[in-house]
Amino acid sequence: MRAWASPDTTVLREVVDKLDGPSLTVRLDVTREPDWADVINQTEARFGPLDILINNAAYLRVGTVESIPLEEFQRVLDTNLTGALLGTRAAAPSMRKAGGGAIININSVAGLAAAPDPVAYSSSKWALRSLMRAAAKGLARDNIRVNSVHPGIIETPLAYGPDGNALVPVDEFAIPRNANAVQRHDVTVWPHVWSTRVPRSRNGSV
């Protein structure tokens, strides 16, 4: 059983239609707390309490400390960092009802090694890594694990600017440039069955 949330439900349905089992698609702006409440409410009504959340929303704009417009810097932080905070905050009460759960933040290699050009993206991913650690320690007592995954460059619409030009070296992608949504899903998303009974460390991470 899966609930998928995204600002673009068309792409979601393309993926979901290829999968087995019941599912739910919901439109979500991760920067809006009321949207998160709606997603959790719809998920609980359909499937019961939540036991897993994958924070996968991201926004990328290229710019250095001196060149990036402040509004673009803020939008990156709102999507990549605040969105994960709001998702974690919304999911935690539902996971307590389930007796525990797992929250996975899709981070990036940019959260391990900073780069000067995507200064906003790198900043947001380093902050997301810290948020993960703080949340893991705070939610461990409720049997809620919080972890992050740091993939390398993957070809998605995020890799391109509004003008269609690549923001990152797309010719170096491991995934074919003509990959459809289902092929990208096969590479970038792991199985959706997670155990909530795996022993955790003292800080809540595994």
Side-chain angles (χ1 to χ4, degrees), residues 73-155:
F73 186 88
Q74 189 63 58
R75 184 178 176 186
V76 172
L77 291 183
D78 287 345
T79 303
N80 301 356
L81 178 61
T82 305
L85 169 67
L86 295 179
T88 301
R89 177 184 294 177
S94 185
M95 289 183 176
R96 290 191 185 97
K97 298 177 189 176
I103 298 172
I104 302 95
N105 296 319
I106 306 302
N107 201 303
S108 167
V109 291
L112 300 174
D117 290 334
V119 62
Y121 190 78
S122 290
S123 298
S124 70
K125 293 302 185 177
W126 277 78
L128 180 60
R129 184 177 166 198
S130 182
L131 173 65
M132 176 273 294
R133 292 178 177 273
K137 290 182 178 180
L139 296 174
R141 65 179 66 90
D142 297 313
N143 196 30
I144 299 173
R145 294 175 288 113
V146 187
N147 291 281
S148 64
V149 177
H150 295 257
I153 297 173
I154 297 173
E155 183 170 26

Side-chain angles (χ1 to χ4, degrees), residues 61-79:
R61 282 295 175 266
V62 172
T64 65
V65 169
E66 294 180 284
S67 67
I68 189 167
L70 179 58
E71 60 272 17
E72 287 296 310
F73 186 88
Q74 189 63 58
R75 184 178 176 186
V76 172
L77 291 183
D78 287 345
T79 303

Side-chain angles (χ1 to χ4, degrees), residues 44-67:
E44 286 190 330
R46 180 74 177 273
F47 303 121
L50 195 69
D51 59 5
I52 184 171
L53 170 69
I54 300 176
N55 285 313
N56 192 39
Y59 181 69
L60 169 66
R61 282 295 175 266
V62 172
T64 65
V65 169
E66 294 180 284
S67 67

Side-chain angles (χ1 to χ4, degrees), residues 189-203:
V189 181
W190 50 92
H192 297 274
V193 179
W194 288 72
S195 169
T196 60
R197 300 291 178 261
V198 176
R200 64 187 188 281
S201 65
R202 292 183 179 179
N203 68 3

